């Protein structure tokens, strides 16, 4: 098998050299010395330009985007760990679901209505005056479940201060809300 590959490689080299000698070389030799210099410079610069702008820079851009994504995810993991530690330190408050723990109440209602698995953010907001507020974000959730969740919040006496609902695809929506007040 090695012999046949070597033979094929030798044949390919012969064809390339033959093509160079019969087609390219006469045209190159017919050029003025300045034009030959321009062709040589282009033969060096063009592959370099293709490498830099076609391979190197897009790879660096993708790398930078991935690093930024990792940093964002690290912040979210840190927030989730803090929340988990807080809930683990005070499990009776999280399970009580009373109004003193807005986060636990909203989480419980989200689970009951089936939107908790679509939540990408459920985070307390700092508000002056001691009021509790939660920033909530839901992505690609069925509209009926989101509507049920909002109705359940209303029945529970939890005000929705800000609400933005946007269609993402047929029957699915994104929702951003600030709950509490």
């Amino acid at each position: 098998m090695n012999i046949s590959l070597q033979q094929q490689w030798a044949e390919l080299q012969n064809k390339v050299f033959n093509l160079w000698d019969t087609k390219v070389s006469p045209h190159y030799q017919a050029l003025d010395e300045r034009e030959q210099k321009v062709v040589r410079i282009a033969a060096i610069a063009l592959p370099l330009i293709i490498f830099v702008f076609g391979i190197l820079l897009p790879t660096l851009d993708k790398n930078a985007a991935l690093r930024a994504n990792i940093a964002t995810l690290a912040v979210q993991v840190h927030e989730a760990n803090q929340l988990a530690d807080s809930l683990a330190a005070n499990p009776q408050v999280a399970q009580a679901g009373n109004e003193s723990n807005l986060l636990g109440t909203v989480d419980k209602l989200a689970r009951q209505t089936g939107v908790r698995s679509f939540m990408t953010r459920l985070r307390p907001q700092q508000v002056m005056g001691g009021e509790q507020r939660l920033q909530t974000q839901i992505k690609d959730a069925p509209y009926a479940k989101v509507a049920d969740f909002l109705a359940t919040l209303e029945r529970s006496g939890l005000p929705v201060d800000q609400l933005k609902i946007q269609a993402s695809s047929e029957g699915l929506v994104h929702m951003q809300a600030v709950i509490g007040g």
Side-chain angles (χ1 to χ4, degrees), residues 20 24 27 44 48 62 74 76 90 113 120 129 138 171 174:
W20 175 262
V24 179
H27 291 289
I44 293 170
L48 186 62
K62 180 70 173 176
Q76 290 175 348
N90 240 343
T113 56
T120 57
I138 297 174
H174 297 317

Side-chain angles (χ1 to χ4, degrees), residues 47-87:
L48 186 62
I49 290 170
I50 290 172
F51 174 74
V52 169
F53 291 104
I55 297 172
L56 186 63
L57 291 179
T59 302
L60 293 175
D61 289 345
K62 180 70 173 176
N63 191 359
L66 289 174
R67 286 183 187 272
N69 192 16
I70 287 173
T72 302
L73 290 174
V75 168
Q76 290 175 348
V77 165
H78 181 68
E79 289 174 358
N81 286 336
Q82 284 181 335
L83 181 60
D85 292 343
S86 171
L87 290 175

Side-chain angles (χ1 to χ4, degrees), residues 86-87 90-109 112 156 158:
S86 171
L87 290 175
N90 240 343
Q92 69 278 6
V93 174
Q95 295 197 1
N98 59 17
E99 287 190 327
S100 67
N101 184 6
L102 182 63
L103 179 64
T105 304
V106 171
D107 185 63
K108 180 180 153 191
L109 295 176
Q112 287 174 354
S156 298
L158 296 173

